[in-house]
Amino acid sequence: MSSLKIICPNGHLGFAPLKTGSFHLGVDSQPDFIAADSGSDDIGPVPLGSDTCASPKAWQRQDLEEMLLASRRIGVPMMIGSAGDTGSNSRVDMYVEMIREIAAQHGLAPFKLGWFYSEVDKETVRGKIRAGSEITGLDARPALTEEELDATDRIVAMAGVHPFLKLLEEGCDVIIGGRSSDSAIFAAAALHKGYPEAQSYYLGKVLECASFCAEPYGAKETVMGEITADHVEVTAMAPEQRCTVASVAGHAMYERSNPFHEFVAGGMLDMTDCHYEQVSDKTTRVTGMEFSAAPEFRVKLEGSGKVGERFVGMAGIRDPYTIANVDAVIDWARQQTIERFGPDGWELHYNVFGRNGIMGDMEPLKDQPGHELCVVVQGVAPTREMAEEVCMTGTRQMFYARLPEVKGTAGGVSFIFDEVLPGSPAYRWTLNHTMAVDDPLELFPTHTAMVEGAVQ
């Protein structure tokens, strides 16, 4: 075929429901594939470590239902990567079960379902370390040690195009993927149809976040990418949105330390010499992309390890003198916690909103706090009971802080409520590394089954 069209209705399936209006406009444009990514490490390490979802299952089921019904109605493949936010094995199984349920509920005609897993056993990684194959850190992290591996609860590998290609070659109509590189989901569809690697990976890069490549801002709207042998075009489906030279180029450059390079399993997309052209009111064409194969096949690993149980407290400050001395107030509360529990075995984290609660030390205006502050306190400890008490001590003692020149008894800090609230257990990223493999499918076992779609 001279060109291939893919629509993407959601840049993070399940994080918020897709907008059905632009999605159905996209479906009506007769795409060859419907695809979306469901994962992100922007959600932090908790979902991966605790093997949970970051969003309600109802939102994820809604998007899967919209996409499945549309793909079966027009007879094109549907592809999902990083199922259930993390792509862990249980999230893949959850999506596979949802697909079966939706098919049965709507009495869909039989179709072939494919899925692959991406969890990596810790002993597999340990074996690589002991064999002398370095697990290399990304973003200035040191090489992985066995000690850090032991502190890890769950590991997923990030798939490239390879398991998607294998399942497409086996004739699957619907594919549910484990943890996947965002762009690989879409690139696999184009590569399967014989398009060049450079254009295919750029197609994936521009579609991965759906309408984030369009303007004006409107999340969860559908965009359509069209690939030929020498260019990629992207078109906004929402009536009020346009894909412009600025919006498409800007999206291509975000989220990367080097805005021109996109690394995937097996190579790198180079966007340094891309040329952007407005070819219609809603469509931008891109040419000049290049793809370089990597000299060694390495796969990215993500791992998460539990730190402890967590409670959250909040305190408000309106008094100007207390605002000016908020660090001393926090130090006082922390010292009271040390006197109660000793210096080790627990953690207190303070975010001072109204000063630098979001950016921390990178905040350029942290010496210009607002006239009122909200201090969010996180207490972390091995048990829920201890975490609750640590958090309550670290929050409530702010009320009793002794500051110089204060003659009153208390009252520099107020509380929205007296209690502290249970939070999710605290986790941290333990792995953001790459590992060499001999076979691109080594970490991604694939499975297929026919879904009969009988009405329940």
Side-chain angles (χ1 to χ4, degrees):
M1 61 178 62
S2 59
S3 72
L4 175 119
K5 296 188 292 188
I6 304 176
I7 59 169
C8 176
N10 199 330
H12 181 169
L13 189 153
F15 198 69
L18 65 83
K19 301 292 188 182
T20 55
S22 61
F23 175 63
H24 290 293
L25 288 173
V27 174
D28 291 343
S29 69
Q30 294 296 307
D32 300 292
F33 286 85
I34 300 174
D37 177 51
S38 178
S40 175
D41 54 16
D42 294 345
I43 56 179
V46 172
L48 177 60
S50 59
D51 205 13
T52 57
C53 292
S55 306
K57 291 181 181 177
W59 294 358
Q60 305 183 60
R61 193 182 192 284
Q62 178 206 285
D63 283 11
L64 290 176
E65 185 172 26
E66 289 283 352
M67 295 175 67
L68 180 63
L69 295 184
S71 73
R72 294 300 83 219
R73 176 168 60 83
I74 64 175
V76 302
M78 162 185 165
M79 300 167 67
I80 302 294
S82 299
D85 300 310
T86 66
S88 69
N89 292 358
S90 74
R91 302 305 93 179
V92 172
D93 290 339
M94 183 182 77
Y95 270 29
V96 167
E97 186 58 29
M98 284 183 181
I99 293 293
R100 295 182 189 277
E101 291 172 356
I102 295 166
Q105 177 187 345
H106 293 276
L108 298 181
F111 61 88
K112 190 170 186 177
L113 173 65
W115 66 96
F116 69 85
Y117 296 114
S118 61
E119 277 195 34
V120 182
D121 186 84
K122 284 198 285 188
E123 296 313 307
T124 299
V125 181
R126 195 186 312 278
K128 295 276 187 179
I129 295 174
R130 291 184 177 179
S133 180
E134 181 181 274
I135 310 300
T136 305
L138 296 169
D139 299 330
R141 281 177 177 257
L144 183 68
T145 64
E146 290 195 53
E147 181 181 13
E148 190 71 342
L149 180 64
D150 289 336
T152 302
D153 287 293
R154 186 163 290 96
I155 303 171
V156 288
M158 183 172 285
V161 297
H162 311 87
F164 289 103
L165 281 172
K166 182 173 188 292
L167 292 171
L168 286 172
E169 289 162 1
E170 293 178 6
C172 291
D173 301 297
V174 176
I175 297 175
I176 301 298
R179 187 69 172 120
S180 312
S181 172
D182 300 357
S183 60
I185 305 160
F186 310 91
L191 291 170
H192 176 63
K193 296 294 185 181
Y195 290 92
E197 288 179 309
Q199 284 75 13
S200 297
Y201 281 105
Y202 189 91
L203 177 71
K205 175 62 184 168
V206 77
L207 289 180
E208 66 181 20
C209 291
S211 58
F212 272 19
C213 66
E215 63 180 42
Y217 175 76
K220 310 302 177 183
E221 302 286 2
T222 293
V223 296
M224 181 177 69
E226 184 169 9
I227 184 173
T228 71
D230 58 15
H231 70 250
V232 169
E233 291 183 353
V234 56
T235 303
M237 291 291 105
E240 69 278 13
Q241 285 194 305
R242 304 166 63 226
C243 286
T244 67
V245 168
S247 68
V248 174
H251 175 264
M253 295 180 186
Y254 99 126
E255 276 194 328
R256 299 291 179 273
S257 54
N258 184 323
F260 299 111
H261 294 165
E262 170 87 354
F263 289 92
V264 296
M268 185 265 288
L269 173 67
D270 189 345
M271 298 175 278
T272 305
D273 296 321
C274 278
H275 176 72
Y276 297 83
E277 178 185 4
Q278 195 77 44
V279 294
S280 74
D281 182 53
K282 297 171 74 70
T283 302
T284 286
R285 177 180 296 166
V286 188
T287 55
M289 59 288 283
E290 296 181 357
F291 184 81
S292 303
E296 180 184 40
F297 200 95
R298 302 188 69 87
V299 177
K300 181 187 178 188
L301 302 178
E302 296 175 346
S304 174
K306 187 175 181 179
V307 178
E309 302 296 331
R310 175 165 54 181
F311 274 76
V312 179
M314 285 187 279
I317 305 175
R318 178 62 176 82
D319 171 53
Y321 187 77
T322 305
I323 289 175
N325 293 277
V326 63
D327 287 328
V329 172
I330 291 172
D331 288 345
W332 166 276
R334 190 184 297 278
Q335 186 58 41
Q336 305 310 302
T337 315
I338 292 172
E339 290 181 9
R340 170 71 174 162
F341 296 102
D344 304 315
W346 52 272
E347 296 180 16
L348 271 175
H349 302 276
Y350 292 88
N351 289 82
V352 184
F353 291 93
R355 186 186 67 171
N356 63 344
I358 297 170
M359 296 182 64
D361 289 340
M362 296 177 66
E363 170 57 60
L365 303 177
K366 60 178 177 289
D367 60 341
Q368 302 174 36
H371 71 280
E372 63 179 18
L373 303 179
C374 176
V375 183
V376 175
V377 185
Q378 298 180 65
V380 179
T383 66
R384 285 177 59 83
E385 292 76 14
M386 184 178 175
E388 182 176 17
E389 192 177 349
V390 165
C391 187
M392 189 166 287
T393 305
T395 305
R396 193 168 292 175
Q397 284 295 330
M398 294 176 67
F399 184 78
Y400 299 108
R402 297 293 84 199
L403 295 177
E405 301 180 14
V406 172
K407 295 182 173 58
T409 53
V413 170
S414 65
F415 300 113
I416 302 171
F417 34 73
D418 286 332
E419 70 271 32
V420 294
L421 307 177
S424 63
Y427 285 81
R428 66 181 177 88
W429 292 116
T430 52
L431 270 82
N432 184 26
H433 293 71
T434 65
M435 183 173 78
V437 295
D438 297 324
D439 180 350
L441 292 170
E442 180 177 325
L443 303 176
F444 308 104
T446 61
H447 305 267
T448 64
M450 288 302 298
V451 176
E452 300 299 331
V455 178
Q456 288 182 328

